[in-house]
Amino acid sequence: MMDIDLNVCSSSSSVIFKTTDLDRDVVFGKNATSSFAMCITVGFFLFELTAVVLSDIAFKTFSKMLILHHGLALIAYSLAVKLGANYAFGCKGMILEMSTPFSCLCYVLLKAGWENSKAWVINQMILVHTFHLRSVVECHLWVVTYFNWENIYSNMPTVLLVLLYTNLTLVTFIMTPYWGYKKTQQLFNPVDWNFQEERNTDGITSNGSVKKTD
């Protein structure tokens, strides 16, 4: 799944840094690569949403922000594919998932008890930086909106217009800042968010268990 995520992010990077048919018409512009990437992304968000829901059921938690994010994204991308519109923002927005591989590795390292290793620190620093880069991408999407607003407002299907700017507002002003803050906090205080148990640095506690001390 990480390979798929990296491929999706790679495709979206080329959309951001290269002028394509998507830039010439941000509402209905598309090409073969973007069509393939959008379909893959629908599957990605379906997988992510299913995994989060099943995890919440198994561990009796409620990841409301992740469910909201993945749920809205799944609906938006599915409708975009069905209506053949909004591929420009959809493909550019895929790169926001650049944090996912490092977030997955963060969880694996935590569960393996490697939170004091160099691998943990390096991965966590990269992860924090991906959230900084997410903010840059989000600003880019607002700039694209500014320069293409007349076309967007006049021609984009209403349901996609509402979903696009609901999602973009949420990730720009709430989700990315919050997750960036939490991951920065986690760099200095490793926490398994699934169980909300802190792992300290003296080896007394570990994820899901407590060691006896004399």
Side-chain angles (χ1 to χ4, degrees), residues 28 55 60 72 118 130 136-137 146 148 154 162 166-167:
F28 293 109
S55 175
K60 297 180 180 179
L72 287 175
K118 288 185 178 179
T130 62
V136 174
V137 174
Y146 176 79
N148 295 274
S154 300
V162 172
T166 297
N167 277 321

Side-chain angles (χ1 to χ4, degrees), residues 203-204 210-214:
I204 294 178
V210 178
K211 296 181 180 179
K212 292 180 64 177
T213 57
D214 296 329

